[in-house]
Amino acid sequence: MKISLTWLKHYVDLDGITTEQLVETLPMIGLEVEGVESTALPQFEKLVVGEVLSREQHPNADRLGVCMVDVGAEEPQQIVCGASNYKVGDRIPVALPGCKLPGDFKIKKSKLRGVPSNGMMCSAKELGMGEDHSGLLILEQRPEIGTPINDVFPGGETVIELELTANRGDCLSHIGVAREVAAAFDRELTLPKVKQHPGEGEGLISGVEVQSEACPLYTAASIKGVKIAPSPDWLREAIEAIGLRPINNVVDVTNYVLHETGQPLHAFDAAKIKGGKIIVRQAQDGEQIKTLDEVERKLTAADTVIADAERALVVAGVMGSIEAEVDDSTVDIVLESAYFRAGAVRGTTRRLNLFTDSSHRFSRDVDPAGVDFAARRCIDLILQVAGGTVVGKTITMGEAPRADRTIEITPDYVRRVCGFKVEDEAIAAAFTRLGFKVDSNAYQWRVLVPSFRPEVDRPIDLVEEFIRLHGSAQIPSASVKAVGLSREDDPLAVFNRKAVEKLAGAAFAECSHYTLVDGKELATWFGQDRADVLQLDNPLTSEMSHLRPSLIPGLLDALRLNFNKGNAPARLCETGRVFRSVDGKVSELASVGFVMVVDDGQRRWREREQPDFYTAKQIVGELAALAGVKPEKLEYALLEGEPLWQPDHAAHASCWKKTGYKAFAGMVNVSALKVWDIDSMVIAGELILDPSLLAKERKPVRLEKFSNFPPSTKDLALIVDADTPAESVRSQIAKAAAEATGEGFSADGVSVFDQYAGEGLPEGKKSLGFAIRFRAADRTLKDKEVNQAFDQIQAAIKEAGYEVRG
Amino acid sequence: MKEELAAIVLEVESTAPGIARRADFEAFKATISGPNGKLTAVMKGMKNVPKEDKPAMGQLINQAKQQVEAYYAETLERIEATELAAKLGPAIDPTLPSPDIGPGSLHPLTQTRRRMEEAFRKVGFTVAEGPEVETEWFCFDALNTPEDHPARDAQDTLFMPADAAIENVSKRGDERYILRSHTSTVQIRTMLKEKPPLRIISPGRVFRRDTTDATHSANFHQMEGLYVDKNVTIVDLKAILDYFVAEIFGKGSEVRLRPSFFPFTEPSFELDMKTPNLGKLSNQWIELGGCGMVDPNVFKSVGYDPQEWSGYAFGMGIERIAMIVHGIDDIRYFYQNDLRFLQQFA
């Protein structure tokens, strides 16, 4: 919001306060300054008042004149000029040789089409005083010849742009800001004097009918016989200073009063009110109105309109219709000053996406007590600039929805919240300066807060007012009160920390991608059904329309980017939330994901082994262990029907819905990599966790005794179908081994150490080699007992249908 | 016999130095000292030696044996040295780069978040977590933000569809699911779960319905702090912020509290910081975040008695702090994941 200092000075004396001081002070009382604009003239040298003594036609150019100009020097100066709006005897600004105009334009002695010219007569624009470039700036007030131009325009206008917080609707006006400035600098606030307008005879309308709940207070005054014309200079300048476009005297006055008092007003052309009556009602669903900005708008029953007998004339509190506009033919006007409920106007203004000075103020809750003041101020000014007479009594419907109120507070309470010593008087002074009335006769003070501060409602709100005025710089320094920790970091934070630490230690670069992803891409890699339940209701863009179900696509994006940039990416990882669904119900899960390129495109003087599924499996297992899940609990199976993963080369384990965790590992689908435009094959892994799993208390692990005697190992090779999972065989051997041992000694490990297919084996078969390790707790095992157990295991395995390789 | 022994020793002496491989050595050794070896045969011949000659003969054999074994040891040592040399390969070139990939790195946001977490942990704050998909009640109502507050509008906040079901995120009533616009929601969930006194920070991801540009991001990260205890004052608030700013930006940094407005704190302030060692940004006020005293209405909504408990809260952008500390001028860098960016701050 723009505040003109010239304007501000009407209400508060700014003598001795520089613009800099003001700009530094306002933010410290809660009014943020966005910027300062000054239209004051820059300091010019050799730019003086001159008088045109004569004008001759230029011999070589039709459009140019050759003038003799008195600039207060001994001799008049010859100046060639292209303007035509001046006459001999006019006084104008003259830039003499050596003067520098805005835009680093230096004036020199020169010749224009062969005729010498010793300077330049200037337009307003050339001085940086606005946009008028149609001709010379004629100095109507005829200042002394030779006067420096800066002395002619000493002031200029300074405008401060404020960015106000949502609670400070009271500052959306010059008087509101003046009140704050007066409080901050402890000065007097002077409000304009307004008159009573009893109004003779009959008003222009027969009445106002308020049907809408959104309008608890409505007033209408009638002014007959106004003369619509351009505004006088003072009004036009004031309006222009804050960036508004002057329209006509009546409309300009309503705008002026809005920016002066913060109360929006509306002037109706009385002739355009059909049926002679104003009705404040809800719009009908689908009702149309063409607003002043010439847009046809469709209303709903949630919107309020000001209507006549036939149609809506104004979207209440937002904008008038083009049909009821005050125009050059207007003679009689009805002036509305009303209170519309903040929520109602906010709803309408957002629904219509139509934000006006009026709706902005109503949305922030105008002062009901200001309705009458603003109306009277507006009438005073209309009568002053447009003439006319007030007829009839002001019609007032309803009453102010809220008034001044009293808050009880003790100065001790203020001190208790603040935590530092401050005198009663200083507290009371802050309130008084803000225009609050303090009754401090009893221990419990009674503070009367005027209705223009609706948000100051509780003792704590008064503390805020105190600290704001007293100055936050007065808060003393102190040391932090720190006592021992009784709480631990959330287990999810701890897990993420450890996970990313582990991955960074294994050469992964941690990434961070947006949580929101493109719905189409999501459907491609995860299916339409899964995508549908992850869709947002009101996404801003289609690229960010859905919640992500996995970190892998983002990491592939990062691989692509880094390949494209020639960064030779090798290993990337990320931790973050993902969203998964079962039966249309979504859960928010924690995830840690990683990708490894098989060929990073870098040439090396020595080759290293490339990652594969088993590399990913190992990493996922270690991450699972950080979450308290034993890696061996991850029972992997080949992934099927997952477009993101390469069939036969990727696997998943467990189900987050049942166990709280799920693991993926393997090769990213080669066709997906084509879409991503990644040349290398990519191995990926992801561990997804329900955060509640991590919250489970973990018991300390108890020692399991181990044998000090040497183990004895037997190897067993089996020929099985090529697609038999090794684990299914291993677990059977382990089971047989457990049965074959038992008393006194045990098989304390069965592991796969070899897999072979090819020469020497039938097509479709493979050989698996297992090592069975026996150990006893109390002795070195004898060959005999080991052999006996091994025979028994082989027999059991053969019985289970496996062929033992010779 | 004597001659035989001398011949054996000579044979070993002349042959052993020429043996290069362990297998050849073992084979040769067998011809001398193996069960059928020449030296073994001589030793076996001892039984035929007359008794009186045995001591002298035994001495000779021992001598020969020692000599032979010395050659063996020497040869074996030589072979082992050769083998080891073969195993070791040529000398390394210590100036060659490692062909291994790496190093890994922590994202700059992770690094900044940790610095912040560590600073707060020193004075007793621990991390609390909460869901990113939240509900209106936790994000707004409980935080004293009324129904018609502009921040709640679909213009600024991302909503899930009205019929969305998020199984592991609890609702208060039948309010809508949204993406949290600040991590103050974590304060609410933590206060509902835990009893005061409380000192938590909640670093996490938040969402705004903003067009992405150099200073706006569809998601970014905040760290909010909450302190609840008896008789907490504005002086305490100032103290923690003074401490934090000195920890992150160094001694000599100043804090300024600029009055402002947030629905969930009263009084509310913007947190400004000024520090002498920040390049172009030195010695000017820089906004870091917001703070204030917890509004009594927030305590009421979580069932804490505002007469008994008081507290302060603060919040700041993690990206913002990282940008200030590292001189990063575009928030999009954090989400582009260019390795030249990711690994620059390690």
Side-chain angles (χ1 to χ4, degrees):
Chain A
M1 187 196 46
K2 288 189 164 127
I3 291 293
S4 142
L5 292 196
T6 313
W7 201 342
L8 200 61
K9 285 175 193 159
H10 296 274
Y11 320 109
V12 59
D13 180 8
L14 296 180
D15 257 5
I17 301 171
T18 63
T19 306
E20 288 69 34
Q21 273 175 301
L22 204 53
V23 166
E24 276 167 27
T25 304
L26 288 172
M28 295 315 292
I29 55 168
L31 310 184
E32 197 167 325
V33 174
E34 273 284 278
V36 182
E37 250 176 62
S38 183
T39 58
L41 280 190
Q43 198 59 44
F44 287 118
E45 279 182 35
K46 303 204 172 190
L47 215 169
V48 298
V49 176
E51 182 175 307
V52 182
L53 301 176
S54 65
R55 181 188 190 277
E56 306 284 335
Q57 181 59 43
H58 192 290
N60 305 324
D62 290 350
R63 298 223 177 133
L64 295 181
V66 181
C67 302
M68 294 308 289
V69 184
D70 182 356
V71 294
E74 280 177 26
E75 295 287 316
Q77 299 294 316
Q78 176 172 299
I79 294 174
V80 177
C81 179
S84 57
N85 68 325
Y86 63 96
K87 54 189 190 300
V88 170
D90 278 349
R91 295 204 175 160
I92 35 66
V94 180
L96 297 168
C99 171
K100 221 188 258 175
L101 290 176
D104 214 18
F105 177 31
K106 211 166 174 188
I107 303 299
K108 289 180 288 204
K109 281 190 183 192
S110 62
K111 277 184 180 176
L112 280 167
R113 296 247 174 157
V115 177
S117 180
N118 297 330
M120 187 174 92
M121 298 192 276
C122 303
S123 70
K125 189 182 180 184
E126 279 156 346
L127 300 183
M129 291 175 66
E131 289 305 303
D132 191 355
H133 199 41
S134 59
L136 301 184
L137 174 64
I138 311 292
L139 304 169
E140 307 282 4
Q141 62 282 51
R142 299 188 65 75
E144 194 81 12
I145 293 167
T147 314
I149 202 74
N150 286 99
D151 294 351
V152 180
F153 299 103
E157 178 63 288
T158 300
V159 173
I160 297 180
E161 174 103 42
L162 294 179
E163 172 81 31
L164 296 170
T165 50
N167 60 328
R168 295 308 301 271
D170 65 297
C171 285
L172 290 168
S173 67
H174 281 77
I175 289 177
V177 173
R179 187 182 287 123
E180 290 288 305
V181 172
F185 292 95
D186 200 8
R187 296 198 174 188
E188 204 70 38
L189 177 73
T190 318
L191 296 181
K193 296 258 178 311
V194 293
K195 296 196 186 91
Q196 292 288 358
H197 301 278
E200 299 287 311
E202 290 288 303
L204 294 166
I205 50 172
S206 62
V208 175
E209 192 182 321
V210 178
Q211 302 168 354
S212 171
E213 299 260 316
C215 180
L217 176 62
Y218 193 97
T219 73
S222 300
I223 307 171
K224 215 171 160 55
V226 297
K227 190 171 177 303
I228 302 296
S231 291
D233 286 351
W234 70 264
L235 178 53
R236 214 189 55 241
E237 282 163 15
I239 290 279
E240 280 177 341
I242 56 167
L244 297 181
R245 191 169 51 91
I247 295 169
N248 60 47
N249 47 8
V250 169
V251 173
D252 292 350
V253 165
T254 58
N255 281 332
Y256 182 88
V257 176
L258 178 152
H259 287 278
E260 181 180 52
T261 66
Q263 169 65 41
L265 301 140
H266 191 85
F268 294 89
D269 183 335
K272 293 175 181 171
I273 302 173
K274 297 188 181 156
K277 194 169 152 188
I278 282 177
I279 302 161
V280 183
R281 61 167 169 83
Q282 294 314 114
Q284 278 133 24
D285 269 324
E287 185 170 358
Q288 300 221 331
I289 185 167
K290 192 172 193 179
T291 42
L292 271 176
D293 52 355
E294 304 199 16
V295 178
E296 193 76 49
R297 297 178 187 275
K298 216 178 228 175
L299 304 176
T300 74
D303 303 318
T304 310
V305 293
I306 316 301
D308 62 14
E310 294 177 8
R311 70 233 149 109
L313 302 175
V314 178
V315 181
V318 182
M319 193 184 263
S321 80
I322 209 150
E323 289 179 43
E325 195 179 5
V326 168
D327 57 32
D328 293 349
S329 66
T330 302
V331 183
D332 299 334
I333 57 175
V334 173
L335 183 71
E336 162 197 299
S337 183
Y339 176 93
F340 299 109
R341 291 200 191 277
V345 175
R346 185 153 52 229
T348 296
T349 199
R350 291 207 167 229
R351 210 158 22 246
L352 297 178
N353 197 22
L354 178 60
F355 300 89
T356 62
D357 282 341
S358 167
S359 70
H360 186 47
R361 282 158 184 81
F362 281 123
S363 300
R364 299 275 158 98
D365 201 355
V366 299
D367 178 14
V371 169
D372 177 56
F373 177 81
R376 281 155 64 185
R377 172 72 169 154
C378 190
I379 293 167
D380 286 349
L381 291 176
I382 288 175
L383 298 186
Q384 182 192 326
V385 305
T389 44
V390 177
V391 292
K393 286 204 162 42
T394 296
I395 300 171
T396 302
M397 302 301 293
E399 53 188 36
R402 51 182 178 75
D404 302 350
R405 64 216 166 289
T406 302
I407 302 170
E408 296 198 337
I409 189 171
T410 66
D412 280 344
Y413 173 76
V414 177
R415 283 185 283 265
R416 200 161 69 234
V417 176
C418 289
F420 56 86
K421 281 204 176 110
V422 58
E423 300 295 322
D424 286 6
E425 290 70 28
I427 299 172
F431 297 149
T432 311
R433 274 156 65 180
L434 284 164
F436 302 173
K437 289 194 181 72
V438 182
D439 173 0
S440 57
N441 287 326
Y443 173 69
Q444 186 93 339
W445 291 4
R446 294 170 57 81
V447 180
L448 185 78
V449 180
S451 61
F452 58 74
R453 293 298 303 277
E455 87 290 4
V456 179
D457 207 24
R458 304 167 297 173
I460 192 71
D461 300 328
L462 283 176
V463 176
E464 173 165 79
E465 293 304 302
F466 161 71
I467 198 87
R468 196 165 72 80
L469 258 285
H470 186 69
S472 57
Q474 308 297 320
I475 304 169
S477 296
S479 55
V480 178
K481 285 182 209 153
V483 280
L485 292 171
S486 55
R487 193 181 177 282
E488 197 34 270
D489 285 343
D490 188 285
L492 178 57
V494 176
F495 169 76
N496 279 335
R497 208 178 285 153
K498 286 183 184 166
V500 79
E501 203 79 64
K502 171 176 278 296
L503 289 168
F508 286 88
E510 190 193 6
C511 293
S512 180
H513 288 90
Y514 296 115
T515 300
L516 299 176
V517 296
D518 185 309
K520 266 201 217 116
E521 282 176 31
L522 179 59
T524 307
W525 305 117
F526 295 91
Q528 193 63 53
D529 288 354
R530 280 196 211 148
D532 285 346
V533 295
L534 297 176
Q535 184 164 15
L536 298 181
D537 198 35
N538 62 335
L540 188 61
T541 63
S542 63
E543 294 88 54
M544 293 199 172
S545 56
H546 288 64
L547 297 168
R548 64 181 175 192
S550 163
L551 299 176
I552 304 297
L555 291 169
L556 293 175
D557 287 347
L559 280 184
R560 174 179 49 201
L561 176 117
N562 282 294
F563 272 120
N564 287 346
K565 304 267 182 194
N567 296 340
R571 295 180 162 204
L572 305 178
C573 71
E574 185 165 356
T575 63
R577 309 289 173 87
V578 298
F579 301 84
R580 295 248 157 188
S581 62
V582 167
D583 300 334
K585 285 187 172 171
V586 179
S587 285
E588 178 174 331
L589 305 169
S591 170
V592 46
F594 59 86
V595 292
M596 299 178 275
V597 302
V598 173
D599 175 12
D600 62 7
Q602 285 294 89
R603 286 178 296 176
R604 292 183 169 80
W605 63 270
R606 175 178 288 170
E607 282 309 313
R608 288 298 203 225
E609 197 166 334
Q610 299 299 353
D612 57 17
F613 163 79
Y614 302 97
T615 321
K617 182 180 177 179
Q618 176 64 22
I619 295 170
V620 171
E622 288 176 21
L623 293 171
L626 294 179
V629 176
K630 292 203 167 107
E632 53 271 25
K633 283 187 125 182
L634 298 173
E635 295 173 6
Y636 282 95
L638 283 180
L639 266 169
E640 279 164 37
E642 289 286 350
L644 194 60
W645 299 92
Q646 180 67 33
D648 292 340
H649 291 273
H652 63 144
S654 194
C655 162
W656 59 267
K657 184 93 181 170
K658 287 186 196 133
T659 57
Y661 55 89
K662 179 168 178 75
F664 294 89
M667 188 182 286
V668 175
N669 199 323
V670 174
S671 58
L673 294 176
K674 270 201 191 114
V675 174
W676 258 281
D677 205 15
I678 296 171
D679 288 335
S680 167
M681 293 209 274
V682 175
I683 300 295
E686 188 169 22
L687 179 69
I688 290 172
L689 302 164
D690 189 324
S692 63
L693 172 84
L694 297 165
K696 280 186 194 148
E697 213 169 301
R698 284 194 231 165
K699 285 184 190 143
V701 179
R702 309 286 298 177
L703 173 73
E704 208 174 289
K705 286 266 168 61
F706 45 83
S707 166
N708 283 324
F709 294 91
S712 173
T713 303
K714 288 280 179 191
D715 292 351
L716 176 62
L718 299 180
I719 295 169
V720 299
D721 289 342
D723 61 356
T724 309
E727 175 57 24
S728 68
V729 185
R730 194 205 65 84
S731 58
Q732 286 211 40
I733 298 174
K735 200 173 142 224
E739 281 162 9
T741 51
E743 285 299 311
F745 77 105
S746 64
D748 75 345
V750 175
S751 58
V752 190
F753 69 85
D754 185 41
Q755 174 177 257
Y756 173 78
E759 210 177 317
L761 285 176
E763 188 86 351
K765 295 279 180 187
K766 67 179 173 187
S767 154
L768 292 170
F770 297 92
I772 307 165
R773 194 176 54 189
F774 300 92
R775 211 192 305 248
D778 57 352
R779 65 187 189 280
T780 301
L781 286 168
K782 291 193 186 79
D783 284 353
K784 199 181 152 200
E785 51 187 340
V786 170
N787 287 338
Q788 206 172 6
F790 187 53
D791 289 345
Q792 200 180 321
I793 293 168
Q794 291 194 68
I797 286 301
K798 277 180 193 155
E799 199 161 309
Y802 290 107
E803 184 187 341
V804 175
R805 198 176 173 195
Chain B
M1 230 170 166
K2 200 174 170 185
E3 291 73 31
E4 267 180 89
L5 282 173
I8 289 167
V9 170
L10 188 67
E11 187 188 349
V12 172
E13 189 187 358
S14 60
T15 311
I19 299 173
R21 289 168 31 211
R22 192 182 283 262
D24 295 343
F25 167 70
E26 294 297 344
F28 172 70
K29 189 178 162 188
T31 65
I32 307 297
S33 307
N36 302 315
K38 292 170 189 164
L39 185 57
T40 315
V42 174
M43 283 155 75
K44 281 178 186 160
M46 267 293 276
K47 61 176 182 277
N48 302 326
V49 173
K51 203 174 180 184
E52 63 276 19
D53 290 344
K54 271 186 182 171
M57 211 51 226
Q59 208 180 346
L60 276 176
I61 289 177
N62 268 342
Q63 237 169 34
K65 207 175 157 187
Q66 274 168 21
Q67 278 175 308
V68 165
E69 269 167 11
Y71 285 125
Y72 287 166
E74 193 182 294
T75 307
L76 199 57
E77 201 176 314
R78 182 172 47 75
I79 290 173
E80 276 177 350
T82 313
E83 278 175 357
L84 181 63
K87 222 184 247 177
L88 288 174
I92 55 160
D93 174 355
T95 67
L96 274 173
S98 167
D100 289 337
I101 51 162
S105 53
L106 299 185
H107 194 280
L109 284 177
T110 302
Q111 295 175 40
T112 301
R113 196 185 65 225
R114 288 204 187 166
R115 276 191 70 193
M116 295 167 74
E117 285 173 1
E118 278 156 19
F120 283 120
R121 194 180 169 88
K122 282 203 265 181
V123 286
F125 286 77
T126 49
V127 174
E129 292 267 359
E132 288 176 3
V133 169
E134 263 295 356
T135 85
E136 286 183 284
W137 190 83
F138 288 94
C139 203
F140 300 123
D141 298 89
L143 287 157
N144 196 35
T145 312
E147 189 95 38
D148 60 357
H149 192 275
R152 299 186 64 154
D153 202 89
Q155 202 85 12
D156 305 314
T157 301
L158 291 162
F159 281 77
M160 295 300 289
D163 60 353
I166 314 292
E167 239 186 325
N168 61 350
V169 179
S170 60
K171 274 196 195 187
R172 186 71 169 192
D174 61 353
E175 76 272 18
R176 294 274 298 268
Y177 282 109
I178 56 171
L179 302 193
R180 68 180 176 194
S181 54
H182 49 193
T183 55
S184 309
T185 53
V186 181
Q187 302 180 359
I188 299 299
R189 288 192 184 268
T190 308
M191 283 193 280
L192 284 171
K193 217 163 47 193
E194 299 175 27
K195 289 206 157 52
L198 207 56
R199 269 166 300 155
I200 54 162
I201 43 171
S202 50
R205 181 167 282 204
V206 300
F207 302 82
R208 299 280 163 88
R209 203 166 173 276
D210 268 338
T211 307
T212 301
D213 61 24
T215 54
H216 294 86
S217 183
N219 62 236
F220 58 98
H221 296 80
Q222 280 186 339
M223 183 177 286
E224 307 224 342
L226 171 71
Y227 185 107
V228 183
D229 209 332
K230 293 185 176 162
N231 303 317
V232 181
T233 69
I234 296 173
V235 168
D236 295 323
L237 169 66
K238 176 83 175 351
I240 189 80
L241 298 170
D242 280 339
Y243 160 80
F244 171 76
V245 164
E247 283 282 305
I248 299 294
F249 297 100
K251 295 235 154 51
S253 306
E254 284 176 63
V255 165
R256 179 173 83 172
L257 299 183
R258 185 157 40 82
S260 189
F261 168 70
F262 308 107
F264 31 91
T265 47
E266 187 81 14
S268 303
F269 306 95
E270 298 286 356
L271 163 60
D272 293 341
M273 177 275 304
K274 189 160 82 171
T275 185
N277 19 346
L278 211 58
K280 268 190 214 159
L281 293 176
S282 295
N283 298 313
Q284 50 177 295
W285 291 111
I286 302 167
E287 193 177 310
L288 287 189
C291 60
M293 305 304 290
V294 179
D295 195 292
N297 288 345
V298 173
F299 284 142
K300 277 184 212 157
S301 66
V302 296
Y304 287 9
D305 179 1
Q307 302 293 337
E308 188 180 357
W309 299 103
S310 49
Y312 60 70
F314 53 83
M316 43 204 138
I318 301 178
E319 276 87 346
R320 183 159 179 78
I321 304 241
M323 288 169 90
I324 295 168
V325 168
H326 298 296
I328 298 166
D329 58 1
D330 193 325
I331 197 170
R332 287 170 293 199
Y333 278 125
F334 292 107
Y335 299 97
Q336 272 163 359
N337 299 295
D338 189 313
L339 283 167
R340 290 167 296 175
F341 176 78
L342 297 180
Q343 305 203 309
Q344 211 179 103
F345 310 98

